[in-house]
């Protein structure tokens, strides 16, 4: 598995309130999730490393990818194959210098200018476009709407770029068709799977709505 054939990317917290992290990520991978990112601001570094070891074990069983958010030091210590940053986090060149050539590095984009930069930089492996809709996981972040997805799709096509990009922000079964109609072929989700009673089924349903790559 690499980022070029990944379509469904899941972000989840450590689920400490439910105590089912291992079972949950197993169910999500079983449903076809390609990448799982642990994103939890309420755990310390030592706890995060413990949860990442669980994530690594389950991901390896399914031959899937797993990701660390924001903290390049933790990504390095955990040996994470994927590292994701925001526009105001660690600069991409610094992340690459720390993590080396093997790591896949992703970036969040929110404007046309940021999309253009993401398509042209040599440091980046993938990027996310959004938030398409307002989401509680990013309070205060204005929604960009589907027009930025259309822009990203058009710019990517005109540049003949093969760099993967994902729509992110409030994407679920109720609106994923709008995302696809706007030109996205890959999505990042949170609540669409984390709040599902059956994570495996939820992942399968989302994947069924996404176009095949290639």
């Amino acid at each position: 598995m690499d980022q070029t054939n990944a379509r469904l990317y899941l972000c989840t917290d450590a689920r400490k309130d439910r105590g089912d992290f291992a079972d949950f990520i197993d169910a999500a991978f079983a449903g076809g999730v390609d990448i799982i990112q642990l994103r939890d601001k309420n755990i310390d570094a030592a706890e995060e490393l413990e949860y990442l070891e669980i994530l690594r074990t389950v991901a390896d069983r399914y031959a899937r990818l797993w990701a660390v958010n924001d903290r390049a030091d933790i990504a390095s210590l955990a040996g994470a194959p994927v590292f994701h940053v925001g526009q105001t986090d660690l600069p991409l060149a610094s992340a690459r210098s720390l993590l080396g050539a093997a790591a896949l590095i992703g970036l969040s984009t929110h404007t046309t200018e940021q999309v253009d930069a993401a398509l042209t930089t040599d440091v980046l492996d993938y990027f996310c476009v959004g938030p398409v809709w307002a989401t509680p996981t990013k309070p205060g972040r204005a929604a960009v709407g589907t027009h930025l997805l259309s822009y990203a799709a058009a710019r990517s096509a005109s540049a003949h770029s093969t760099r993967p990009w994902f729509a992110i922000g409030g994407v679920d079964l109720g609106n994923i068709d709008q995302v696809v109609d706007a030109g996205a072929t890959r999505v990042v989700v949170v609540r669409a799977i984390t709040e599902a009673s059956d994570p495996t089924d939820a992942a399968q349903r989302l994947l069924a709505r996404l176009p095949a790559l290639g």
Side-chain angles (χ1 to χ4, degrees), residues 171-196:
V171 180
D172 58 28
L173 274 175
N175 57 36
I176 193 170
D177 290 343
Q178 297 177 54
V179 169
V180 173
D181 289 345
T185 57
R186 313 163 195 263
V187 297
V188 180
V189 300
V190 183
R191 291 170 296 155
I193 295 179
T194 62
E195 295 183 1

Side-chain angles (χ1 to χ4, degrees), residues 3-211:
Q3 87 283 5
T4 60
N5 55 19
R7 293 187 297 157
L8 185 56
Y9 190 145
L10 169 65
C11 293
T12 180
D13 64 11
R15 298 174 71 89
K16 291 182 70 174
D17 57 332
R18 309 189 199 195
D20 65 349
F21 182 71
D23 289 341
F24 169 74
I25 59 175
D26 189 286
F29 278 134
V33 170
D34 298 299
I35 308 172
I36 294 181
Q37 178 190 122
L38 175 60
R39 185 172 69 194
D40 195 322
K41 303 296 185 181
N42 297 313
I43 56 175
D44 59 29
E47 282 184 301
E48 185 167 355
L49 287 169
E50 292 174 0
Y51 280 105
L52 288 171
E53 184 57 34
I54 296 170
L55 180 54
R56 175 210 290 271
T57 299
V58 179
D60 285 353
R61 189 186 320 138
Y62 284 92
R64 304 285 169 79
L65 292 170
W66 54 281
V68 169
N69 184 57
D70 290 347
R71 293 284 301 270
D73 54 341
I74 289 178
S76 178
L77 287 169
V82 183
F83 176 63
H84 191 88
V85 290
Q87 290 288 327
T88 59
D89 295 324
L90 186 70
L92 293 175
S94 299
R96 179 63 71 199
S97 177
L98 180 60
L99 298 175
L104 302 173
I105 296 179
L107 176 70
S108 299
T109 64
H110 319 294
T111 66
T112 56
E113 294 81 8
Q114 291 171 0
V115 168
D116 289 343
L119 283 168
T120 56
T121 179
D122 292 333
V123 183
L124 204 58
D125 295 290
Y126 74 91
F127 62 100
C128 296
V129 180
V132 184
W133 291 282
T135 169
T137 61
K138 290 291 182 180
R141 174 76 67 188
V144 301
T146 57
H147 71 277
L148 191 59
L149 303 181
S150 298
Y151 180 85
R155 289 289 293 160
S156 183
S158 65
H160 304 289
S161 173
T162 59
R163 179 161 297 160
W165 63 273
F166 297 77
I168 188 172
V171 180
D172 58 28
L173 274 175
N175 57 36
I176 193 170
D177 290 343
Q178 297 177 54
V179 169
V180 173
D181 289 345
T185 57
R186 313 163 195 263
V187 297
V188 180
V189 300
V190 183
R191 291 170 296 155
I193 295 179
T194 62
E195 295 183 1
S197 59
D198 185 339
T200 299
D201 179 70
Q204 291 171 339
R205 289 175 180 269
L206 289 163
L207 276 172
R209 305 282 275 277
L210 292 171

